[in-house]
Amino acid sequence: MEQFCNAQHIPEELIWDTATEVLPGGMAAVSIQDYRLFRVSTGLADLLGYAGPEEVLEASDAWLHGLVLSQDWECVLSTLERSIPLSGKARMECRLRGRDGQSVWVTLCAGLVRRVDIGVYLECFFLDLTDLRRVEAELTERCRILTEKTRRECMTGLLTKEAFREDVKSWLAEAGPSASYALLVIDLDDFKRINDRFGHNFGDRVLLAFSAMVTDCFGPGALCGRYGGDEF
């Protein structure tokens, strides 16, 4: 840092207007009377895809609720009105309106600030959660895939006995007593003789072919499982 001891030698492109411009998000100054925006940072404009703060104010009509996605505004408003009078600060997650129509997930941290020229107002910091949400979605999908794999047999792809019983119980509970349904139990007669005569590899091929036949016949809406060695 010694090269910066003389401020006159620091390049202008390395100097930010305020420290808030360095945050992975942005800032907005909001009136506590009516939640009107009277200042937004360049960082917030960048986060939402706008050319500058003026475009953000114009697109939102200079209102905080114009920044927040309509589905999230009621939750944001209730959190602010509950927390600010008690502690002078609030924190929540919500979605903002991006310039391209896409929503942007952020952590909204708000606090009361006093300035001589303005008085008391609400300073809101928006921390970008886009990458975190993407990673969360990927992990959720991976967990779903892994969970589904544990519910199905490796060889046939049909539900295991335990998974089949769980799904049947869930279906019956949701369907109610007036629902119509059918339970078909299939046993491959003399399957042991196939294994004894042609070998287990051939027997596995028979199981695979029969499992595919069952799945095709009953369609994606049916619960198909392997209950035992040659029982379906």
Side-chain angles (χ1 to χ4, degrees), residues 136-154:
E136 286 179 346
E138 291 176 356
L139 290 176
T140 299
E141 178 61 16
R142 290 180 184 179
C143 289
R144 186 194 65 79
I145 293 174
L146 289 174
T147 300
E148 185 62 20
K149 284 184 177 180
T150 62
R151 288 166 36 82
R152 295 186 177 275
E153 288 193 327
C154 295

Side-chain angles (χ1 to χ4, degrees), residues 58-78:
E58 181 180 353
S60 63
D61 291 327
W63 294 102
L64 181 58
H65 62 73
L67 281 181
V68 179
L69 212 62
S70 58
Q71 298 93 314
D72 295 357
W73 173 244
E74 184 176 345
C75 179
V76 170
L77 181 61
S78 63

Side-chain angles (χ1 to χ4, degrees), residues 206-218:
V206 172
L207 292 176
L208 282 171
F210 184 75
S211 298
M213 186 185 306
V214 169
T215 302
D216 291 341
C217 286
F218 295 104

Side-chain angles (χ1 to χ4, degrees), residues 20-113:
T20 60
E21 302 295 343
V22 185
L23 293 172
M27 183 276 293
V30 183
S31 167
I32 59 174
Q33 281 78 29
D34 54 9
Y35 298 110
R36 191 166 186 82
L37 302 172
F38 58 87
R39 187 175 75 251
V40 298
S41 69
T42 303
L44 183 57
D46 292 340
L47 174 64
L48 301 180
Y50 291 99
E54 296 77 12
E55 282 196 8
V56 178
L57 292 172
E58 181 180 353
S60 63
D61 291 327
W63 294 102
L64 181 58
H65 62 73
L67 281 181
V68 179
L69 212 62
S70 58
Q71 298 93 314
D72 295 357
W73 173 244
E74 184 176 345
C75 179
V76 170
L77 181 61
S78 63
T79 301
L80 289 174
E81 295 190 341
R82 181 178 65 253
S83 301
I84 294 298
L86 293 177
S87 62
K89 60 183 179 180
R91 178 172 178 165
M92 69 215 77
E93 293 184 3
C94 64
R95 292 167 293 177
L96 303 183
R97 304 173 189 269
R99 185 176 186 275
D100 58 0
Q102 298 295 317
S103 59
V104 180
W105 274 103
V106 296
T107 293
L108 168 55
C109 301
L112 292 176
V113 176

